[in-house]
Amino acid sequence: MIPITHVSFTHEEEQAVVKVLRSGQLAQGETVAAFEKQFASYMGSGYAVAVANGTVALHIALLALGIGPGDEVITTPYSFIASTNAILYVGATPVFVDIGKDFHIDAGKIEEKITKRTKAILPVHLFGNVCDMDIIRDVARRHDLKIIEDACQAHGAIYKSKKAGSIGDIGCFSFYATKNMTTGEGGMIVTDDKDINDYAKMARSHGGRVRYYHDFLGYNMRMTEMQAALGLVQLAKLDRFNKIRREHAAYYNELLSDMPQLVTPVVAGCVQHVYHQYTIRVREQKEKNRQTLIHAFDGAGIGYGIYYPVPIHQQKELLVRGFRGNFPIAEQLSREALSLPVHPKITKKQIHFIAEFIEKAL
Ligand SMILES: *Cc1c(COP(=O)(O)O)cnc(C)c1O
């Protein structure tokens, strides 16, 4: 059995958590503060605010920009549902723009969706790749829009020497169990804006700066000291993990790029992809398609992922809310996408085995 994901902790993470447990301080202590400081420094951002998960990072980011009912936020229909749910939580309206063949929002099509109500663009750096941020920043600047980057799959990815998540006004990260670095559950907001940092720190803790004094309606969206202890150790390993993922992806590319039925990942020259997922497209055809392949994988014990089987605009939740629209590329890629195991624990031998297996099955 070759799994699609692998959680990798050593005695370093164990010791770090035990140290916190023995300290008696489990929440709102110095470990969270230290993790925030390290994360901001790694990202090259002025500030970082640790929160309970990536979904609430996005939620707080929208609140911090004052986005609410009557406002529109432009985003992608091809992501994990949290990217859109955060917009719905604050009462704003998600406006979808179809994706390109690289799975990202088609930056060239954003402008035609801008209205008087548009307040922000929420691009998602999917699978560890980075969106075309030059175009997105240019559109945002010309229309006075904010940019919230969903970098929940792109820890350490680089676009023209800047880290994904540090390019827009706010970057949001997740440390869920399957991400390139993990704290089990966890999230982070990064920004260069002091006011956003101050707001986010208060919003995650019932709208207060000082305990039991509450300035506005906030939440309990805090990260624990145990999570932060894991995060500090995982952050120190992130570049090494990502380098191995990139090597694995390069090996897959070498083995798979000659196959006419497949399309290997499309990566811009100015991007350093961190391969949260290694996602290929299996072209739609009557026979020997994605279905053939996953059936064979199931039989052979090869793990795979389908991210995502249903684009967001076609999720029942959105249909019930009256969302309609045609996003043909998002729909096509949801039928073609197939993610192969690329995590650091897989071996080159296993990659070779999987590639050969695919060639035979197709
Ligand atoms: C994981 C993820 C999230 C949400 O993060 P959680 O920590 O699971 O709440 C948001 N957006 C994307 C693209 C993700 O992959």
Side-chain angles (χ1 to χ4, degrees):
M1 177 75 205
I2 306 174
I4 180 74
T5 57
H6 175 86
V7 175
S8 157
F9 290 140
T10 65
H11 68 281
E12 283 180 87
E13 282 90 349
E14 289 174 16
Q15 280 175 337
V17 173
V18 167
K19 194 170 157 225
V20 167
L21 294 179
R22 290 186 179 151
S23 77
Q25 174 106 35
L26 305 187
Q28 295 179 280
E30 61 191 31
T31 320
V32 167
F35 183 32
E36 289 173 340
K37 197 162 164 233
Q38 277 301 118
F39 200 83
S41 148
Y42 177 84
M43 288 299 160
S45 291
Y47 307 94
V49 182
V51 292
N53 56 61
T55 306
V56 306
L58 290 164
H59 186 174
I60 292 179
L62 288 154
L63 291 172
L65 296 175
I67 292 168
D71 297 335
E72 291 176 355
V73 179
I74 292 178
T75 192
T76 170
Y78 201 99
S79 179
F80 180 55
I81 190 78
S83 316
T84 286
N85 276 356
I87 299 168
L88 296 173
Y89 294 155
V90 301
T93 305
V95 174
F96 297 116
V97 168
D98 204 2
I99 57 171
K101 292 284 168 76
D102 61 352
F103 291 92
H104 286 147
I105 190 166
D106 187 338
K109 290 189 182 147
I110 290 176
E111 199 151 23
E112 60 199 63
K113 294 291 184 82
I114 294 174
T115 72
K116 274 198 238 82
R117 295 166 178 262
T118 311
K119 289 285 154 56
I121 307 171
L122 197 159
V124 181
H125 305 311
L126 210 65
F127 304 143
N129 202 351
V130 189
C131 295
D132 197 335
M133 292 308 291
D134 275 354
I135 298 185
I136 293 173
R137 269 169 45 145
D138 178 57
V139 176
R141 192 173 48 238
R142 282 188 287 106
H143 294 271
D144 196 22
L145 305 176
K146 299 291 185 188
I147 299 172
I148 299 172
E149 295 175 75
D150 182 339
C152 288
Q153 300 188 0
H155 320 67
I158 295 171
Y159 178 92
K160 296 189 177 176
S161 85
K162 286 203 82 151
K163 294 263 168 63
S166 74
I167 305 165
D169 296 278
I170 306 182
C172 298
F173 292 86
S174 164
F175 309 120
Y176 181 67
T178 57
K179 310 286 173 160
N180 288 26
M181 61 174 283
T182 180
T183 62
E185 297 269 10
M188 194 75 84
I189 295 161
V190 303
T191 184
D192 284 330
D193 186 318
K194 185 177 181 306
D195 292 338
I196 291 173
N197 172 65
D198 289 348
Y199 178 91
K201 284 220 159 95
M202 291 168 78
R204 75 166 169 197
S205 210
H206 286 295
R209 209 184 301 273
V210 178
R211 215 170 274 191
Y212 309 123
Y213 290 80
H214 308 282
D215 297 3
F216 60 85
L217 180 69
Y219 302 84
N220 178 355
M221 293 174 165
R222 293 184 298 262
M223 174 181 277
T224 67
E225 292 281 288
M226 291 78 81
Q227 289 168 300
L230 289 175
L232 276 165
V233 181
Q234 288 269 298
L235 180 60
K237 297 178 175 180
L238 179 63
D239 284 343
R240 188 159 50 82
F241 284 159
N242 284 345
K243 183 164 173 280
I244 300 172
R245 286 174 182 270
R246 272 200 300 280
E247 286 166 6
H248 288 170
Y251 194 41
Y252 271 124
N253 284 342
E254 191 187 312
L255 299 171
L256 296 177
S257 32
D258 289 342
M259 293 190 59
Q261 306 95 320
L262 304 182
V263 185
T264 52
V266 179
V267 190
C270 61
V271 169
Q272 196 171 84
H273 196 311
V274 292
Y275 294 97
H276 170 58
Q277 299 294 346
Y278 180 83
T279 304
I280 57 170
R281 289 169 46 207
V282 188
R283 292 184 198 280
E284 281 188 284
Q285 41 196 12
K286 276 213 180 66
E287 281 162 60
K288 310 240 168 183
N289 49 28
R290 184 175 74 180
Q291 199 51 39
T292 319
L293 214 45
I294 65 178
H295 191 73
F297 280 171
D298 284 335
I302 297 171
Y304 60 89
I306 293 186
Y307 312 111
Y308 293 89
V310 181
I312 293 177
H313 68 285
Q314 293 184 328
Q315 295 285 349
K316 204 187 256 179
E317 174 197 335
L318 277 289
L319 295 178
V320 166
R321 287 169 179 263
F323 282 83
R324 294 290 180 270
N326 284 324
F327 303 99
I329 313 273
E331 290 161 27
Q332 180 195 341
L333 297 204
S334 72
R335 295 187 298 264
E336 294 186 345
L338 180 68
S339 300
L340 306 174
V342 72
H343 54 78
K345 267 287 135 63
I346 194 172
T347 63
K348 276 193 110 177
K349 220 173 134 187
Q350 287 173 316
I351 292 172
H352 193 266
F353 171 77
I354 293 169
E356 248 181 6
F357 187 91
I358 292 172
E359 214 165 339
K360 278 192 206 124
L362 292 182

